[in-house]
Amino acid sequence: MNINDAESAPVILWRRVDQHGHESARVDHVGEGWRLTGTAVFADDAGPCCLSYRIECDAAWRTVRTRVTGWIGQRTVDVEIAVAADGVWRMNGVEVPQVAGCVDVDLNFSPSTNLLPIRRLNLAVGERADVRAAWLRFPSLALEPLQQTYIRTGERAYRYESAGGAFVRDLTVDEAGFPTRYPDFWEREGD
């Protein structure tokens, strides 16, 4: 698959395994960079949720801009995140100093954003890398730093760790880098 060919832009459909829900995402080569878009529809304690996102990255897969819109129960969501060249992050125009210097955005409600460091790091089998992501928590939508570790354990397999090793999952990914199996939370549907 040529990820640069719009005719073959990678797309995926996931099913939630811990509650009712689905998500679909797509990655496109746009100009000199990349765009990851998707929509997650799922049940939550607050009620039905529908969250659409657009993440723009530069040529090296570094997050530049993110927009999340939709609803969580009765609450309307419209979040705009921008990253300046100097590593300063702003959410809805307000600087968020605790995530300064982060490279990736991580959407807590979606498996799609694991693709960003997987593509950016391009680890060889057996290699590991620590990253610090700007984590958009769900359902609070607070932007917080999250220390993460990616270890490539196979051709299409990664061990993902966060919160100092308190959260660990073995991810299976497709050739584009989308997780096809995120144990306890998401599985790819169809082919």
Side-chain angles (χ1 to χ4, degrees), residues 2 7 14 19 22 36 48 51 54 72 89 91 100 102 113 115 138 142 188:
N2 181 358
E7 296 287 320
W14 291 285
Q19 59 191 18
H22 282 84
L36 173 62
L51 296 170
R54 182 185 73 242
I72 300 170
W89 289 67
M91 188 163 87
C102 290
T113 48
L115 174 136
F138 178 87
R188 177 175 63 185

Side-chain angles (χ1 to χ4, degrees), residues 83-110:
V83 187
D86 61 1
V88 173
W89 289 67
R90 287 184 172 75
M91 188 163 87
N92 295 332
V94 178
E95 186 175 340
V96 185
Q98 59 267 35
V99 297
C102 290
V103 177
D104 306 303
V105 71
D106 184 324
L107 304 179
N108 184 206
F109 61 86
S110 173

Side-chain angles (χ1 to χ4, degrees), residues 2-75:
N2 181 358
I3 196 166
N4 297 320
D5 182 0
E7 296 287 320
S8 62
V11 296
I12 193 164
L13 174 65
W14 291 285
R15 176 181 59 85
R16 290 283 306 241
V17 295
D18 62 327
Q19 59 191 18
H20 297 291
H22 282 84
E23 179 175 347
S24 186
R26 173 184 170 120
V27 64
D28 292 285
H29 191 246
V30 180
E32 296 296 315
W34 302 94
R35 181 177 54 218
L36 173 62
T37 55
T39 299
V41 179
F42 56 95
D44 182 68
D45 291 343
C49 300
C50 179
L51 296 170
S52 295
Y53 54 87
R54 182 185 73 242
I55 301 169
E56 297 173 23
C57 298
D58 65 14
W61 291 92
R62 294 180 297 241
T63 300
V64 175
R65 191 172 300 106
T66 302
R67 179 112 189 250
V68 179
T69 59
W71 60 87
I72 300 170
Q74 297 295 317
R75 182 172 59 146

Side-chain angles (χ1 to χ4, degrees), residues 96-165:
V96 185
Q98 59 267 35
V99 297
C102 290
V103 177
D104 306 303
V105 71
D106 184 324
L107 304 179
N108 184 206
F109 61 86
S110 173
S112 70
T113 48
N114 291 100
L115 174 136
L116 304 175
I118 286 172
R119 293 298 302 244
R120 183 174 54 75
L121 296 167
N122 195 26
L123 299 173
V125 174
E127 286 186 324
R128 71 178 283 140
D130 295 322
V131 297
R132 191 169 164 266
W135 187 40
L136 187 65
R137 273 189 95 123
F138 178 87
S140 70
L141 301 180
L143 195 60
E144 303 173 359
L146 181 64
Q147 202 62 35
Q148 302 174 326
T149 300
Y150 285 86
I151 305 165
R152 190 164 188 184
T153 57
E155 190 59 35
R156 293 198 180 168
Y158 290 81
R159 171 158 286 210
Y160 169 78
E161 300 176 6
S162 63

